[in-house]
């Protein structure tokens, strides 16, 4: 598999012209070419899709959008996007289309349904799916799109609603290498990092891997912090020790699950906001499925999946996934 | 529990006079007081103890040492240490003693055995145990030492033989807060970081917690990398994606278990050197015991323990613990 | 879901005319109707399929068979079966067809491939698939068959080659209730127990559930026996205690994994024969997939899956799955 | 280790004269010898101890008893037992003493405390501890008792309050083989099965092993039943299929955790009564500790321990351990 970062072999991070004012020339260039920007289609205006589409508008791209819930389109319409009825209508008017949908069936429907993109897609259209779905569905869509002369790429994101609003998402991109530059042009309007991962499905694969390790690190941090507290250690001190030692991980140093250790994270806000347990369980379901089909043992990933699954049945579905600390902790009064 | 870092509330890292030349005054001060330095006892001259004791000598402390294997003392003797027969003899000649022993029974014997330290310990002696042992044994030793008028502190280390040689160890210290400065004076000769963790046993507790999270992160990294490779991702690329995302952890960014991803780590050298699987299994045994006795659920830590335990039975006992990647991977030819 | 045992609501076991001579009338009846028996198709003549098809012949059913490997048909041909080239040819000549294939893709091909059954299937044909496959594939096949006017039932088996030879298999059957009697007529020639489990796919579901619990019980027995032995208990004594107490399970009382405890089981024969670890891992893959898609937590089942998966990578793929005892045990010399 | 069943090599079950009226002669014999029966001490009159001591009385043994809570002795006193103040007082008046206490510290106190048995124990006294405790504590007590000329045996029980009332307990006995007959005389008054397991501590070891496998089987059954139900199978049908197949275990065929499948079990009564989750978690703690100290991998046992531990923190501490089915199941309304 060809695997490289475009632009520069050593710098992983693409620039983000809104954030980094040092790149003045780049911004100027973008502004100059705005007049000639052709419309971009956007399908799926949920919590993530809306700010992503807004960032395309801010970058001067005319946006043609739709959603199964028409009311979801209102916010975009108010700031200048053109709203149409169906994905097919989007495909009729735009030759670059981004989809951001909640699950595999929604993606299948938006592409191959009766009013789907592929009913009216033009030859040469670039289709970028930023949904997190089964990588096998991504591959299927790519094969189907190719038959219509279109190009399908998967580009799932890392980062939540906040990152989407600030154009700070990370995109993990899979698809034909020769189309990557075209995809990158749009994705850099919405994200701070764009990484080319390989053939179609690789973006999903990379995201699944990241989230599985994230899940393991989070549960591991939660149970370690809990054990340390039970052994009499101060939580903040323990977090400091871990973070200066080999126990360090993103969940311990950036998103600590123990209330009182850090500010500005879900654990400081009763596990509101953030990344819901049910979404983590969904992603771990993909990890589990792909591990099963590739016969890869994932003992901790699999157990992490089960733990988040049980949490969903015990009232934690909509809390941030770092609430696993609360889940593992002894209840008051016991 | 009083839990703080001494010296400065915000700076975690104690200075290391050999490494950081910016602290010129400190070094100067140390040099001036060298003449009056009193002897330090050192018991246990294995792979770790020998370079640690050497660093005390280098810092101008006369060292009085012993080991159950007399030949282990030769290297120290050659560079000026005084060798005696038993821990009791050490206690007779030094009022600051460091012990660095492989397991709880060795510690119990060195302190309370027939020729143990406590047979001849002087009132006011400072006893620092840098062994990694059961925290309950540390507490027992402290109680027993206190009856003799001595002070016992636990100060297990993080970092291997290399860190010991370069005086780059991290010490996690538990014991009476008012004795910490005295302990710190000696420990900074042997380590780059000295952290006060609370009452006696806290050092062991912190180390156990760190190593449990390390174990979880390592297995998690190994299974994630393996899954990604099976899904067609390039290992180096995957490591880069993880390290710029929320999957990042010490095992992914500093000690990656996949051969070819990083240099200078055990995975680049057929898992030779490093931290043996059997030692990790030992530390996880402490995590398991303390979790059981404090009724703390450690689902991933417990499974990690079992995995390293099985690895010990399958020929991985003396390989670096990152060889779990190899253990989980499909064998050649299957 | 309608869920009942046919014939009798309380007796689970269907009769088996070869085994239970008490049902003399039944046998007589079978003999009388033999002359009018119409041909039965049989596709898939592997280790299981061959003895199953033989038992149909023994019961007087003309058999028309095929296999992707023509040489596999020789044994059946020699004792009177008619061999044809493709599944389509079988469907052309028989209106009751049994398939016994190794995996989902083989089943899909045998039914819907270019020379598949459905190319020539007659209206009203009864299709019984005894393969162990994904229950969703069973449902797909049923829908496709129904469009051609045929009836598809899933009837996976429990029991190995020995049980197949002695017509002692257990069949778990899913499909339209009104077709169950017709299926039962054939299945009782090959098995001792035929259980109706509900709509199509239910047979696979029941088998998956059974094998998941079997896997858990086997690993549990192996680690319990190993722990007991380490604690100084005699293995035979421990097995007796478990089997008279609440620890009792099929793996402890019928298929004990510890060499020397029982005779006539794979553990008494260096784990040769029996049910291969790789097959168990395959079945647990189905458990994992269906658990993921139904959002059912299976913590132990999932870990069991991972353990057998790791065993497959460590040289145990073709040993009986009870070799997990050997896998968990300390190696000689350690 | 000598390991055998006394009395008969093949029959595991001792008779129970109260239950089985066929053994008329035995009962008669017991009645005739009542006059010469010497007193038996009994320490610990909780839910289990009280019915056990009653059965000694019923068998004609004078009982001398005590409990840390004097009011607990009232029931026994009313039916003829002599109540004394301390274990030492019991030891003063009886040369056969049974202890039935909740945990290791209670046992240590009852034997070696200031008013403990060993303060006044007579030479040759038979001490039988039926508590479930750490086997290492049993060994310690045996060594200490031996120094006083007494014999200590461990004889933990399997079976709950109901079995205790009906003298249907199973005793697993460890201690000197030559003392087993004397112990058996008393234990058969309280239990249906008495098994000699080997040297002191073996009884605890056997019980730990049994309960670990029980825990694994129960969770396995719960998750299997839940998965099957999600896949559309009828719970009763699924239980029947498992019980006629290789998935069969005590938890599936005798104590099924799914409400509606069986009568007379805790699952039929909202998980009231039975064996509390907190007790199972305690026993699994012993399994975990002994596994850690003997370096035995127990992957499923360890995970089972963690699951019951989490359940204790989530409100299931006092429900029967089969409530794990409820714990794993999706909540209403989700």
């Amino acid at each position: 598999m060809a695997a490289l970062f475009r632009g520069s072999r050593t710098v992983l991070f693409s620039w983000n012209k809104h954030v980094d004012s040092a790149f003045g020339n780049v911004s100027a260039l973008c502004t100059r070419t705005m007049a000639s920007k052709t419309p971009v289609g956007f399908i799926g205006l949920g919590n993530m899709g809306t700010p992503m589409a807004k960032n395309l508008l801010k970058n001067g791209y005319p946006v043609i959008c739709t959603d199964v819930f028409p009311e979801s389109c209102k916010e975009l319409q108010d700031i200048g996007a053109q709203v149409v009825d169906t994905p097919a209508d989007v495909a009729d008017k735009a030759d670059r289309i981004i989809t951001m949908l909640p699950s595999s069936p929604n993606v299948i429907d938006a592409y191959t349904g009766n009013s789907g993109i592929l009913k009216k897609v033009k030859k040469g259209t670039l289709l970028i799916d930023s949904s997190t779905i089964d990588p096998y569905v991504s591959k299927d869509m790519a094969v189907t799109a190719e038959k219509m002369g279109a190009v399908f790429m998967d580009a799932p994101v890392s980062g939540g609603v906040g990152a989407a609003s600030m154009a700070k998402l990370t995109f993990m991109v899979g698809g034909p290498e020769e189309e990557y530059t075209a995809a990158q042009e749009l994705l850099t309007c919405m994200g701070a990092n764009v990484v080319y991962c390989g053939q179609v499905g690789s973006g999903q694969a990379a995201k699944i891997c990241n989230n599985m390790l994230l899940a393991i690190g989070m549960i591991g941090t939660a149970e370690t912090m809990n054990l340390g507290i039970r052994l009499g250690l101060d939580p903040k001190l323990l977090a400091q020790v871990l973070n200066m030692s080999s126990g360090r991980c993103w969940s311990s140093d950036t998103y600590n699950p123990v209330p009182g250790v850090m500010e500005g994270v879900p654990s400081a806000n009763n596990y509101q906001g953030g990344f819901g347990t049910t979404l983590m369980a969904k992603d771990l379901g993909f990890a589990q499925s792909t591990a099963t089909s590739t016969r890869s043992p994932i003992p901790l990933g699999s157990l992490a999946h089960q733990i988040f699954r049980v949490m969903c049945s015990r009232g934690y579905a909509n809390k941030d996934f770092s609430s696993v600390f609360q889940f593992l902790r002894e209840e008051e009064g016991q």
Side-chain angles (χ1 to χ4, degrees), chain A residues 41-202:
Chain A
F42 205 104
I43 297 167
L45 297 169
N47 292 336
M48 292 294 288
T50 296
M52 288 167 70
K54 277 184 176 175
N55 281 320
L56 285 172
L57 274 172
K58 281 188 199 163
N59 276 267
Y61 292 93
V63 169
I64 297 166
C65 62
T66 193
D67 192 282
V68 283
F69 300 107
E71 64 271 30
S72 300
C73 302
K74 191 136 198 334
E75 191 174 345
L76 260 287
Q77 193 169 26
D78 289 351
I79 57 172
Q82 179 185 351
V83 178
V84 295
D85 285 346
T86 66
D89 296 340
V90 173
D92 193 39
K93 293 173 188 290
D95 60 5
R96 291 181 290 180
I97 302 174
I98 294 164
T99 48
M100 187 63 182
L101 297 158
S103 69
S104 296
N106 302 108
V107 170
I108 293 169
D109 186 56
Y111 282 85
T112 64
N114 286 332
S115 307
I117 291 169
L118 299 183
K119 289 289 178 201
K120 295 206 181 167
V121 73
K122 296 168 199 160
K123 288 210 169 174
T125 295
L126 176 64
L127 304 165
I128 302 174
D129 181 37
S130 283
S131 318
T132 293
I133 60 168
D134 189 323
Y136 295 106
V137 173
S138 299
K139 288 181 185 173
D140 279 355
M141 291 300 107
V143 168
T144 311
E146 199 180 7
K147 287 178 187 162
M148 317 289 291
V151 173
F152 177 96
M153 302 186 86
D154 61 313
V157 303
S158 172
V161 172
S165 299
M166 294 185 294
K168 289 260 197 180
L169 294 168
T170 294
F171 287 92
M172 290 159 263
V173 187
E177 201 170 340
E178 61 275 18
E179 305 288 347
Y180 176 67
T181 310
Q184 199 182 21
E185 178 196 329
L186 299 179
L187 299 177
T188 52
C189 301
M190 303 181 285
N193 308 311
V194 183
V195 186
Y196 180 70
C197 297
Q199 61 187 19
V200 73
S202 297

Side-chain angles (χ1 to χ4, degrees), chain A residues 4 18-19 30 68 87 106 130 144 174 187 193 198 222 253 278 294 321:
Chain A
L4 70 156
H18 302 293
V19 172
C30 287
V68 283
N106 302 108
S130 283
T144 311
L187 299 177
N193 308 311
D253 69 15
T278 192
T294 59
F321 77 117

